[in-house]
Amino acid sequence: MFNGISDYKYGFSKPENYVFKADKGLFKSTVEMISGHKDEPEWMRLFRLKSYEIFLSKKMPSWGGDLTGINFNNIYYYIKPIQNKARTWADLPEEIKDTYDRIGIPEAEKKYLGGISAQYESEVIYKSIQGELHKKGVIFLDMDSGLREYPDLVKQYFGTIIPPADNKFSALNSAVWSGGSFIYVPKGVRVELPLQAYFRINAANMGQFERTLIIADEGSYVHYVEGCTAPIYSTDSLHSAVVEIIVKKGARVRYTTIQNWSANVYNLVTKRMRVEEEGFGEWIDGNLGSKLTMKYPSVYLVGRKARGEILSIAYAGSKQHQDAGGKAIHLASETTSRITSKSISKDGGRTTYRGLLHVIPTAKGVKSKVVCDALLLDEHSRSDTYPTMRIQSKDVEIEHEATVSKIGEEQLFYLESRGLTPELAQAMIVNGFIEPIVKELPLEYAIEMNRLIQLQMEGSVG
Amino acid sequence: MNQVLQIKDLHVAVVKKPIIKGLNLSLGKSQLHILMGPNGSGKSTLTYALMGHPSYEITQGEIWLNQVNLLPLKVYERARIGLLLAFQNPLSIPGITLSNLLRTAFIEIYGKEAMSIIEFHKLMQTKAKLLDLDPILLKRGINDGFSGGEKKKAEMLQILLLRPQVAIFDEIDTGLDVDALKIVSYGINLLQKEGVCILLITHYQRILNYLKPDRVHIIMNGVIKTEGGFALAKQIEKKGYTYV
């Protein structure tokens, strides 16, 4: 009955069960409808409409990956989530179910990831965490609720780090966003446990056009974790998120993403942090799935002694292109940055490192290190590096290293001669390669990541 | 006599070029056999062919390990039923620590239940000490930045811990100083005592001063040209292979 792309996403078992769905395609009326349906303040409605105009006026990026497969008219831009389960386990493709089993993720999580359950069954944990956060004055909501409950705070920062005009996809997201997270950490407050998107009961987080805004006030600390290593099954062909983070004086924010979209998804995400004096902003970004990912988390170091760090892992298998990297923009003196990128290409997959290091003329005593390493698992795979350096100050210390290596037959033979299967041998080499980044992940993610790599290697060595 | 390793009329070709041309060799339990021969006579080819390297094509003959036909088995299957090779020039694999490799290999060969991780760790430390191998190397990438001597000791450590039925040492003595040579010899004696049968490939008679070989074989042009006892090795050392 509903054969559209997004029908699976939140599930529609019976026609009368759905609450609201916009038509396919993007028109001014679609944007109006989304805003009206959410009962948003006037400024947000205007923001969306302006963004829509910008989206129309901007050309598709001609650099990076091949975007010709995207048809903006064939996408649902808004579907009001239904909380009850609708899709059944049986509807999921076998390979996805199989992967869930083999990674060993819990049943409740499986259903959530597969889109069967709109609620992750961790409501109890969620409530106790919310209680703790509330006592400290920390706000942790989905973005829609954030806008409803804290309109002034949202208005002050929303779209200031990544304006709609930044690029075509940030304009698109600004016009049609739904879901995502809103976090505010007050002055001097340290949130010791990582905040995970899982613990929010709203499935809207997994939406197509989610919008996240994090404000870490002076001297505060927060670690946000999103995504998971298990494949996210989505029938949506386009995922385009925007993540804006403000790191105030002396604050520290770490943002960890592990994403494993199914192989039909275009994953085009804009992520940026503004780091003020003596603040520290970190991106840990793992991209495993999707058809094409274009994602370059960036740090804008605007205050003296601000620090930025970007760790990126990309894995590209058959028919996948991971165009990823990072950007560090040094706008103040004594700022430091470090970009570490590790990519793995296999079965004809393609990885691209694309990075920018920019130091303005007035920034003195700037330090930066960029390391990008690529590992090719076979002859058909490909890796390219595009490191752009725009260094306008003389008072800088810049290091740049890049390596491309291949897994050698002799390395595999050595490990096999110790009783390891070729698959295990290859997985060990790959895990060794990404270890410097994996060790920065929360433990459960690190374990899943290792298992996943092992799974990807199976059946790959002839 | 009960043979552990039997090689019968073995022919091996590399890129269609015959290197081993009808080689016969049999090793019994706890036996130590020495294989000597000039450069290019087929010594290393034999080790790779035994282990099952895909570039070494066995065109004729048989290899048996305890009544198991090795030829249809993959490299890791050969290792699991008890054949291990200590490489002449083991390559380095940064990113996988030596201790991780050892633990993983042990589990693959003997199963998870065979020994707890704590016991295994203790055993690893003890054996490393026995070989005078700095335990810090266990935490480093395999052979990553190891000296020549450390590489040879690390190979020996793997054989000691994984305790195969048959161990092949390809020039484990090359480039070692006297102290390291004694240590490696000690390892070989230890294995022999534990019932492991050993094929040792060497260029030099000097390691034999520390060992009690059961048999010395001379390989030339892909076949066993002659065999004998310790005295044969001494003769070769003195007069060269032209003596054969």
Side-chain angles (χ1 to χ4, degrees):
Chain A
M1 189 167 301
F2 289 88
N3 296 319
I5 295 171
S6 294
D7 287 2
Y8 267 171
K9 184 73 182 177
Y10 300 110
F12 294 86
S13 59
K14 289 178 193 166
E16 61 268 29
N17 265 4
Y18 78 79
V19 176
F20 175 78
K21 182 176 73 167
D23 288 336
K24 265 186 191 176
L26 188 54
F27 308 96
K28 193 176 171 191
S29 59
T30 325
V31 179
E32 292 269 17
M33 204 189 295
I34 293 170
S35 192
H37 211 275
K38 290 169 183 275
D39 204 12
E40 289 176 344
E42 179 67 4
W43 68 266
M44 181 57 82
R45 191 181 72 88
L46 294 174
F47 176 87
R48 285 182 185 273
L49 288 171
K50 193 183 87 193
S51 303
Y52 172 66
E53 293 302 326
I54 295 168
F55 166 73
L56 291 182
S57 70
K58 281 204 176 276
K59 285 196 183 117
M60 283 291 253
S62 55
W63 51 275
D66 178 7
L67 297 169
T68 52
I70 299 177
N71 180 358
F72 289 110
N73 294 323
N74 198 29
I75 292 169
Y76 287 100
Y77 289 90
Y78 181 63
I79 293 171
K80 175 139 182 174
I82 286 178
Q83 297 295 327
N84 303 328
K85 78 160 194 139
R87 193 201 293 172
T88 66
W89 189 238
D91 293 337
L92 275 184
E94 278 305 317
E95 55 180 79
I96 298 270
K97 278 192 271 194
D98 190 44
T99 309
Y100 286 176
D101 285 338
R102 291 164 86 173
I103 296 174
I105 58 172
E107 203 65 26
E109 257 179 87
K110 274 192 227 172
K111 289 187 174 166
Y112 176 74
L113 297 169
I116 288 165
S117 167
Q119 284 185 315
Y120 177 51
E121 291 159 27
S122 63
E123 223 172 317
V124 182
I125 307 165
Y126 172 72
K127 276 186 180 151
S128 76
I129 285 174
Q130 278 294 5
E132 282 298 302
L133 294 176
H134 191 74
K135 264 185 240 163
K136 291 178 162 179
V138 177
I139 302 166
F140 180 29
L141 293 168
D142 68 272
M143 195 66 230
D144 292 279
S145 307
L147 177 60
R148 261 196 315 276
E149 294 176 32
Y150 301 91
D152 296 338
L153 199 54
V154 171
K155 189 180 177 185
Q156 192 184 340
Y157 294 102
F158 198 93
T160 58
I161 308 300
I162 302 171
D166 190 80
N167 64 74
K168 190 171 182 75
F169 291 94
S170 66
L172 175 65
N173 175 284
S174 298
V176 300
W177 71 268
S178 260
S181 293
F182 175 64
I183 296 170
Y184 172 78
V185 187
K187 265 186 198 172
V189 170
R190 295 181 55 86
V191 182
E192 297 298 344
L193 274 177
L195 295 182
Q196 303 202 15
Y198 274 12
F199 289 145
R200 288 207 350 261
I201 49 175
N202 197 337
N205 178 68
M206 290 294 188
Q208 256 183 291
F209 302 105
E210 81 252 26
R211 182 92 189 192
T212 289
L213 175 61
I214 299 175
I215 303 145
D217 218 328
E218 291 180 13
S220 67
Y221 167 74
V222 67
H223 180 190
Y224 180 79
V225 184
E226 69 163 354
C228 55
T229 46
I232 302 165
Y233 179 60
S234 171
T235 48
D236 300 330
S237 56
L238 175 62
H239 172 249
S240 184
V242 165
V243 179
E244 298 179 285
I245 300 176
I246 295 110
V247 185
K248 298 233 171 170
K249 187 176 175 182
R252 179 174 175 186
V253 175
R254 174 179 267 212
Y255 192 106
T256 300
T257 307
I258 298 293
Q259 268 169 343
N260 190 9
W261 294 100
S262 43
N264 57 331
V265 172
Y266 289 88
N267 184 32
L268 313 168
V269 174
T270 313
K271 289 176 153 179
R272 194 171 298 162
M273 277 193 207
R274 172 193 157 93
V275 188
E276 298 179 2
E277 197 177 331
E278 292 177 351
F280 184 16
E282 294 169 277
W283 295 107
I284 297 168
D285 206 64
N287 300 297
L288 297 164
S290 84
K291 178 178 191 163
L292 168 66
T293 290
M294 286 172 68
K295 195 193 315 179
Y296 324 96
S298 39
V299 284
Y300 281 58
L301 306 168
V302 301
R304 193 181 185 81
K305 289 193 173 170
R307 278 170 71 195
E309 189 152 339
I310 302 159
L311 297 176
S312 165
I313 307 178
Y315 169 87
S318 175
K319 293 178 186 156
Q320 292 184 317
H321 183 186
Q322 303 284 5
D323 199 299
K327 299 181 194 175
I329 319 293
H330 292 257
L331 299 165
S333 292
E334 295 172 68
T335 47
T336 51
S337 68
R338 192 184 170 97
I339 301 175
T340 309
S341 160
K342 299 249 179 192
S343 71
I344 300 149
S345 319
K346 179 173 161 285
D347 297 336
R350 179 179 174 194
T351 57
T352 305
Y353 170 78
R354 197 178 299 275
L356 171 66
L357 180 61
H358 185 188
V359 183
I360 62 163
T362 51
K364 311 283 180 224
V366 166
K367 284 184 191 165
S368 179
K369 183 169 186 183
V370 178
V371 180
C372 38
D373 298 326
L375 184 64
L376 300 174
L377 299 194
D378 52 54
E379 300 294 328
H380 326 290
S381 301
R382 171 173 172 188
S383 177
D384 308 285
T385 305
Y386 302 101
T388 305
M389 302 253 177
R390 224 178 286 150
I391 316 297
Q392 293 160 328
S393 163
K394 288 210 169 74
D395 187 6
V396 293
E397 256 177 62
I398 309 281
E399 283 178 71
H400 182 244
E401 295 167 15
T403 65
V404 178
S405 42
K406 280 182 193 157
I407 288 192
E409 208 173 82
E410 296 310 313
Q411 283 184 329
L412 288 176
F413 177 68
Y414 185 85
L415 296 175
E416 285 171 50
S417 79
R418 298 315 186 222
L420 279 59
T421 61
E423 293 82 6
L424 181 57
Q426 202 170 68
M428 278 185 87
I429 291 173
V430 172
N431 279 326
F433 174 74
I434 60 173
E435 198 264 346
I437 292 181
V438 170
K439 73 174 185 219
E440 296 298 323
L441 296 175
L443 184 64
E444 68 271 29
Y445 282 76
I447 292 168
E448 281 181 15
M449 185 84 168
N450 283 344
R451 276 195 221 143
L452 191 74
I453 291 289
Q454 201 156 330
L455 202 58
Q456 302 276 22
M457 296 307 133
E458 280 180 23
S460 70
V461 189
Chain B
M1 166 156 201
N2 222 350
Q3 297 302 337
V4 181
L5 180 70
Q6 282 181 285
I7 304 167
K8 296 178 185 169
D9 188 32
L10 188 71
H11 292 251
V12 183
V14 182
V15 205
K16 305 284 176 210
K17 189 185 173 211
I19 306 286
I20 306 272
K21 304 158 185 169
L23 185 140
N24 292 286
L25 204 58
S26 288
L27 282 76
K29 197 169 161 64
S30 294
Q31 283 193 340
L32 168 61
H33 288 227
I34 311 295
L35 185 66
M36 300 177 85
N39 293 330
S41 57
K43 301 187 298 294
S44 288
T45 299
L46 176 65
T47 66
Y48 278 87
L50 287 173
M51 208 64 235
H53 192 291
S55 306
Y56 295 76
E57 191 195 349
I58 292 172
T59 51
Q60 198 183 314
E62 295 168 33
I63 308 170
W64 295 85
L65 180 71
N66 286 329
Q67 278 81 53
V68 177
N69 180 8
L70 280 190
L71 295 188
L73 299 189
K74 300 208 166 66
V75 180
Y76 69 91
E77 291 168 329
R78 297 180 191 205
R80 287 180 192 188
I81 64 160
L83 179 68
L84 283 180
L85 166 63
F87 288 83
Q88 184 184 346
N89 296 309
L91 40 77
S92 65
I93 309 178
I96 302 175
T97 63
L98 181 56
S99 63
N100 187 8
L101 170 66
L102 281 165
R103 176 70 185 154
T104 308
F106 191 85
I107 289 171
E108 292 301 309
I109 295 170
Y110 294 105
K112 223 171 203 151
E113 311 308 322
M115 200 182 287
S116 77
I117 186 152
I118 295 165
E119 271 179 276
F120 185 79
H121 193 76
K122 272 190 205 151
L123 184 67
M124 198 160 60
Q125 297 283 342
T126 313
K127 299 282 187 193
K129 208 169 174 182
L130 219 58
L131 297 174
D132 194 29
L133 187 71
D134 191 344
I136 208 113
L137 296 180
L138 295 168
K139 296 280 154 213
R140 287 236 298 261
I142 301 162
N143 297 317
D144 191 14
F146 287 26
S147 72
E150 285 167 344
K151 281 184 188 170
K152 302 285 192 185
K153 285 181 183 177
E155 291 292 295
M156 177 56 84
L157 177 67
Q158 293 180 50
I159 307 286
L160 283 180
L161 276 167
L162 302 176
R163 178 122 52 95
Q165 305 277 325
V166 177
I168 306 162
F169 291 95
D170 192 0
E171 295 193 24
I172 189 125
D173 53 335
T174 304
L176 291 187
D177 61 31
V178 179
D179 292 335
L181 188 69
K182 279 183 187 166
I183 287 169
V184 164
S185 307
Y186 171 75
I188 291 170
N189 285 320
L190 199 64
L191 284 166
Q192 210 182 346
K193 240 179 258 166
E194 290 176 354
V196 177
C197 104
I198 297 159
L199 180 62
L200 180 95
I201 293 167
T202 182
H203 270 302
Y204 309 102
Q205 171 263 330
R206 121 190 130 127
I207 191 173
L208 304 185
N209 293 330
Y210 305 98
L211 303 173
K212 292 187 197 72
D214 293 285
R215 204 87 186 132
V216 176
H217 310 263
I218 308 299
I219 182 173
M220 286 179 83
N221 196 22
V223 291
I224 301 294
K225 188 84 181 201
T226 181
E227 45 192 296
F230 185 31
L232 178 59
K234 280 201 156 157
Q235 289 296 330
I236 296 288
E237 180 96 347
K238 224 182 274 169
K239 301 183 181 169
Y241 289 106
T242 45
Y243 161 81
V244 176

